[in-house]
Amino acid sequence: MNRSQILDTAKEYVTKDRAATHGEMEENFSIIAKYWSIHLDIPVTAIDVSVMMALLKVARIKLNPSHDDNWVDGAGYFACGGELATSIG
């Protein structure tokens, strides 16, 4: 998979495929943030969720760098985080 394919696939996932399955990203990440905040007993934001999910993919890449899904999902989580961060202010 080349960089263009990784980004195109990530774009498809975050704009169509997964939104239909998991709901709107903003609401989904906010719900996850609330659960993580309760479990960790510290405030967690939707942006934190996107970063931590991307880091999960980075950890998986360390163990299996040839698995395309980790690169695609990591790009998608960073894109979602960027959207959340730039829509705040």
Side-chain angles (χ1 to χ4, degrees):
M1 214 175 203
N2 65 39
R3 69 188 90 166
S4 181
Q5 291 169 316
I6 289 169
L7 291 172
D8 288 345
T9 303
K11 182 178 179 180
E12 184 177 331
Y13 285 174
V14 300
T15 58
K16 299 176 192 169
D17 186 47
R18 298 203 174 156
T21 303
H22 301 295
E24 291 300 316
M25 177 266 302
E26 297 87 347
E27 182 179 10
N28 188 284
F29 282 22
S30 292
I31 291 169
I32 293 168
K34 288 175 187 175
Y35 282 119
W36 286 2
S37 294
I38 292 167
H39 182 79
L40 297 170
D41 199 26
I42 59 170
V44 176
T45 68
I47 295 169
D48 293 327
V49 170
S50 67
V51 171
M52 289 188 282
M53 294 302 293
L55 289 172
L56 175 128
K57 292 300 180 171
V58 169
R60 288 185 175 171
I61 288 166
K62 182 166 178 60
L63 296 172
N64 187 0
S66 64
H67 188 61
D68 294 344
D69 180 69
N70 294 326
W71 296 102
V72 169
D73 285 353
Y77 286 124
F78 279 122
C80 289
E83 180 179 328
L84 290 167
T86 59
S87 68
I88 290 175

